[in-house]
Amino acid sequence: MAQPIRIFLSSPGDVAEERAITQQVIDDLRYDPELKQRVQLEVIAWDHPDSRTPMLATMTPQAAINSGLATPAECDIVIVIFWSRMGTPLPFPDYQKADGTAFQSGTEWEYINALDAARDTHRPLIVIYRRMERVSLCPDDDDFESCMMQYRRVKQFFEVFSDDSGAILQGYNQHATPDDYRSFIERDLRALIDRVLSEADAAD
C-alpha cells in the first residue's frame, strides 16, 4: 500500500515562483516510476487547487486556513520559503508566541507550529529556503517604508539561526534565483520522502 505523505507549503506572497515550482515538482514526483507505487503525496497549500479552503468573511485568513486545512504540525514535511517579505501580521492577542509577543505573519506562525511539533515528536521534517537575490527598493516609491520594514523583519527572523559568535544553531538553505531553487527542491524532496518511507518501514 502506498504511504500517504502530507507536504505543507508555507511562504509570504513574494515567492510565487518558488511556490509554483514546488507544486509542479510534487506533481511530477507523483508519476515518478520509483515513487508512484510507494507514496501518495498530498500538497497542503492555500493556493493549491486540491487543498483550497473558503476565506470566510467572519474569520481571519489564517483562521480559515487552519480550520479548513491540515496544520503544519499534522504534516510529514513542511517547506518554508522567504525572500523580501515576512508577510501580513496576525491579530494580537488571538495569535501570540509562548513569550507573549506577536507573530509577525501567518508564515511565522506556521513555521513555529511545525517546529514545536518537530521538537516533541520529530515530525514534521522542516526545510527552510531563503532567496538571496538582491531586493530592489526605491526611496521614491510610495510603499518604500513598508517594503523596508518587511525586509528588516526577514533579516531579524534569520538572526536567531546563529549566535553572536557566528555558530550555526539552525539550518536553512539559500538560493540565488527561482531557477536555482528548482534543482534544490527536487533533490531535497526526494531525500525527505525517502526518509519518511525509511522511518515508516522501520516502525512496522
Side-chain angles (χ1 to χ4, degrees):
M1 179 181 292
Q3 173 74 31
I5 298 179
R6 282 176 165 177
I7 304 173
F8 193 101
L9 180 56
S10 176
S11 77
D14 61 335
V15 288
E17 290 177 89
E18 282 92 339
R19 291 185 69 90
I21 289 169
T22 305
Q23 296 184 36
Q24 182 60 60
V25 167
I26 294 171
D27 286 343
D28 291 344
L29 288 174
R30 288 192 176 106
Y31 300 100
D32 185 281
E34 296 181 6
L35 293 175
K36 65 180 181 180
Q37 301 298 328
R38 303 174 63 204
V39 298
Q40 180 182 344
L41 302 179
E42 179 183 1
V43 181
I44 308 297
W46 66 267
D47 57 346
H48 192 274
D50 293 338
S51 62
R52 285 187 60 85
T53 185
M55 296 295 170
L56 301 179
T58 54
M59 305 172 71
T60 66
Q62 191 64 45
I65 291 170
N66 295 347
S67 66
L69 302 178
T71 64
E74 296 170 324
C75 295
D76 301 287
I77 298 169
V78 172
I79 299 167
V80 186
I81 312 167
F82 286 104
W83 180 25
S84 64
R85 286 183 52 81
M86 194 69 203
T88 304
L90 297 181
F92 186 83
D94 294 342
Y95 291 89
Q96 58 179 306
K97 301 177 189 176
D99 62 4
T101 60
F103 283 102
Q104 297 186 77
S105 67
T107 302
E108 186 183 30
W109 182 91
E110 289 165 353
Y111 165 66
I112 296 296
N113 177 260
L115 189 64
D116 287 344
R119 285 171 172 164
D120 289 339
T121 67
H122 305 291
R123 183 72 88 241
L125 304 175
I126 308 167
V127 283
I128 304 176
Y129 298 89
R130 184 182 184 185
R131 191 200 298 188
M132 304 304 293
E133 187 175 15
R134 186 184 181 93
V135 179
S136 298
L137 297 174
C138 177
D140 292 330
D141 291 343
D142 291 340
D143 61 351
F144 174 75
E145 292 298 333
S146 174
C147 291
M148 278 299 300
M149 179 185 65
Q150 286 283 337
Y151 184 65
R152 291 191 186 105
R153 286 178 175 173
V154 173
K155 291 187 69 175
Q156 183 182 20
F157 173 82
F158 281 99
E159 285 175 359
V160 303
F161 284 65
S162 58
D163 63 18
D164 293 339
S165 71
I168 298 174
L169 306 177
Q170 295 175 247
Y172 68 95
N173 307 274
Q174 299 181 0
H175 62 280
T177 66
D179 283 341
D180 292 329
Y181 174 80
R182 183 185 300 274
S183 61
F184 296 153
I185 190 61
E186 181 173 1
R187 177 199 63 198
D188 293 350
L189 265 175
R190 286 181 179 276
L192 292 167
I193 290 168
D194 283 344
R195 181 169 170 178
V196 172
L197 290 173
S198 296
E199 292 177 357
D201 290 342
D204 289 341

